Amino acid sequence: MAATQRLSSVLAHLNPLSESTGRANVLQKNPDDIVITYAARTPLTKAKKGALKDTPIDDLLIALLTIVRERSNLDPSLVEDVCLGNVLAPGQGYMARSSVLAAGYPVTTAASVANRFCSSGLLAIQQIANQIIAGSIEVGIAVGAESMSTCPDDGAPVLSTKVTEHPLAGQNLQPMGQTSENVAEQFGITREMQDAFAARSFQRAERSQKEGWSKDEIVPITVSVKGKDGEVKEVLADRDDGVRYGTTKESLGKIRAAFPQWKPSATTGGNASQITDGAAAVLLMKRSKAEELGQKILGKFVAATIIGLEPRIMGIGPSYAIPKILSKTSLKVEDVDVFEINEAFASMAVYCVEKLGLDPEKVNPRGGAIAFGHPLGCTGARQVVTALSELRRQNKRIAVTSMCVGTGMGMAGVFVSEH
């Protein structure tokens, strides 16, 4: 097998004109590739209202990690590290390690935490991949999880005057809503443009849900939910509950501005990401290890990168991160089959799609965070689970995932479907 892979690699170099050289290189199969052998997510449900509202993050993690252990057809003693992408939970280190043990992994399975705001899930994937590349571990799980119901986002803490009086660092005191309005004002992204984008997100998510596209992404979990009468019931959480059927640009146009204190006041509850609970997990190892263990390969992690920008317009981070990752992988925009760009706000999403000249049909074909939510630490991993599923549905190969990151950053990754 290794000899065949080396031969195909050589032939691709000898015949670069058959397809984009970057694309051909990315699609090659090599023993040292970092591959994904299991990928799944919970449903995403509305914070304070949905099925996961009373599920603490450790219970959410235990439920998902147990499913990974049971369904991945892998001896759990081979899992050496679980990296949790999470933003808001207190005592993350305690919670990550304890959840891994409670989910049935042996005492030898370690745990770590990655936190880079909205990119934490992708950062967790990168951390596990980098450990495997470096030879530190052979098998690891990356998880992104957030319970925004039980761990609310309180914004920036009290910071030093050296920060608050600094022209760049001081911008980190601006709430996320203000940064959305900054993007809209600076780049001329109108309320109508934002509502049109948001309507398309809802409509795509509605179609995806009705036609069952996400069924191979989502693993249902049984959770306890407290009703308005105080009674606790067991409920099966099995679908994203934020998708509002029948949403149109016109219906969104009737929603009042969320931030009238900041001009142009074009951001609303209808064209911004929903506050949501959820978790996603990806199992990673080298191709050679997967073949040795008889693991089914779903896809591979190619690369990821990060870049910084002015915090006040943090939303446009993908417009910098995507060109950077394409350059590093020698890919062209047209080589990419699916772009999963986190819809933190329609303002930034509209800007990024237009700035990069992306085909709108390739961007978030199942809808995005505006339609079904953005659990901060979960999103970076959730996007990968979604992208691999969508590539399978379309019988396509290459996806780029990207998101803006609070405090002024953008992250992007490249993934390949092999199933």
Side-chain angles (χ1 to χ4, degrees):
M1 178 66 75
T4 304
Q5 289 166 354
R6 282 194 294 273
L7 179 60
S8 65
S9 175
V10 171
L11 290 174
H13 284 293
L14 292 175
N15 187 22
L17 299 178
S18 58
E19 101 183 286
S20 150
T21 306
R23 184 177 170 91
N25 288 341
V26 163
L27 294 178
Q28 284 171 27
K29 295 181 179 181
N30 299 300
D32 287 341
D33 289 340
I34 305 302
V35 299
I36 295 165
T37 63
Y38 187 80
R41 68 174 178 91
T42 69
L44 304 187
T45 71
K46 294 178 185 176
K48 305 290 188 182
K49 297 178 182 178
L52 302 178
K53 70 182 179 70
D54 298 314
T55 303
I57 189 161
D58 45 359
D59 284 343
L60 188 60
L61 275 171
I62 292 164
L64 182 57
L65 286 171
T66 300
I67 288 169
V68 176
R69 177 177 57 76
E70 292 174 345
R71 300 188 188 177
S72 61
N73 196 30
L74 182 78
D75 179 351
S77 69
L78 296 174
V79 178
E80 294 165 86
D81 195 14
V82 177
C83 185
L84 167 66
N86 176 265
V87 180
L88 301 174
Q92 293 167 324
Y94 289 103
M95 188 257 300
R97 167 74 169 153
S98 303
S99 299
V100 167
L101 296 175
Y105 291 85
V107 72
T108 52
T109 303
S112 55
V113 179
N115 183 352
R116 193 191 278 141
F117 296 102
C118 309
S119 67
S120 298
L122 180 56
L123 180 59
I125 292 172
Q126 187 184 43
Q127 301 274 50
I128 292 293
N130 285 348
Q131 286 192 78
I132 297 169
I133 291 165
S136 302
I137 64 173
E138 288 190 291
V139 179
I141 298 171
V143 188
E146 205 73 64
S147 172
M148 298 185 78
S149 293
T150 62
C151 307
D153 186 355
D154 296 324
V158 175
L159 294 166
S160 157
T161 54
K162 290 179 181 177
V163 170
T164 59
E165 294 172 4
H166 190 278
L168 281 174
Q171 294 176 19
N172 283 323
L173 295 177
Q174 294 187 16
M176 292 297 98
Q178 185 175 359
T179 71
S180 174
E181 300 295 357
N182 291 343
V183 169
E185 183 173 47
Q186 185 166 332
F187 302 106
I189 312 299
T190 66
R191 166 75 185 265
E192 290 71 24
M193 294 163 74
Q194 293 180 54
D195 286 345
F197 183 95
R200 189 166 69 233
S201 181
F202 278 109
Q203 290 157 9
R204 289 178 175 180
E206 177 179 346
R207 182 185 176 193
S208 170
Q209 197 167 66
K210 286 179 174 176
E211 297 188 10
W213 295 357
S214 300
K215 281 187 176 176
D216 67 344
E217 284 186 67
I218 297 173
V219 287
I221 59 172
T222 301
V223 294
S224 299
V225 180
K226 184 184 286 187
K228 291 181 180 177
D229 58 1
E231 186 180 347
V232 177
K233 294 181 180 178
E234 295 284 296
V235 171
L236 184 69
D238 62 357
R239 69 199 297 270
D240 301 333
D241 70 2
V243 185
R244 296 197 286 268
Y245 289 7
T247 299
T248 64
K249 176 184 170 184
E250 290 70 31
S251 65
L252 291 175
K254 297 173 184 175
I255 301 174
R256 64 182 174 82
F259 308 109
Q261 67 271 43
W262 299 306
K263 298 304 177 188
S265 305
T267 302
T268 75
N271 63 31
S273 57
Q274 299 178 34
I275 299 171
T276 309
D277 305 322
V282 174
L283 176 61
L284 298 147
M285 63 191 75
K286 282 188 178 180
R287 184 183 302 279
S288 55
K289 189 68 175 178
E291 290 173 349
E292 173 195 325
L293 296 171
Q295 284 276 299
K296 180 179 174 183
I297 296 173
L298 301 179
K300 72 172 178 177
F301 165 81
V302 179
T305 194
I306 187 73
I307 194 167
L309 67 153
E310 274 193 276
R312 62 176 296 278
I313 50 170
M314 67 92 205
I316 69 170
S319 72
Y320 293 99
I322 291 174
K324 186 174 179 181
I325 197 63
L326 292 180
S327 173
K328 286 183 176 296
T329 52
S330 299
L331 289 170
K332 302 172 187 170
V333 166
E334 53 267 28
D335 291 329
V336 180
D337 300 304
V338 169
F339 288 90
E340 277 288 327
I341 299 177
N342 187 43
E343 300 169 354
F345 299 98
S347 58
M348 53 71 56
V350 169
Y351 174 84
C352 291
V353 172
E354 291 194 353
K355 177 70 175 177
L356 297 173
L358 305 182
D359 178 355
E361 295 304 311
K362 290 185 175 184
V363 179
N364 302 351
R366 299 185 178 188
I370 289 170
F372 46 71
H374 173 30
L376 305 182
C378 168
T379 290
R382 193 280 305 164
Q383 287 180 309
V384 175
V385 177
T386 300
L388 290 175
S389 173
E390 180 61 17
L391 288 170
R392 286 194 296 272
R393 187 188 73 83
Q394 292 190 26
N395 195 26
K396 298 287 179 64
R397 302 301 306 280
I398 298 175
V400 165
T401 68
S402 188
M403 69 288 292
C404 56
V405 182
T407 70
M409 293 176 281
M411 192 171 185
V414 175
F415 296 84
V416 172
S417 171
E418 295 190 7
H419 180 61

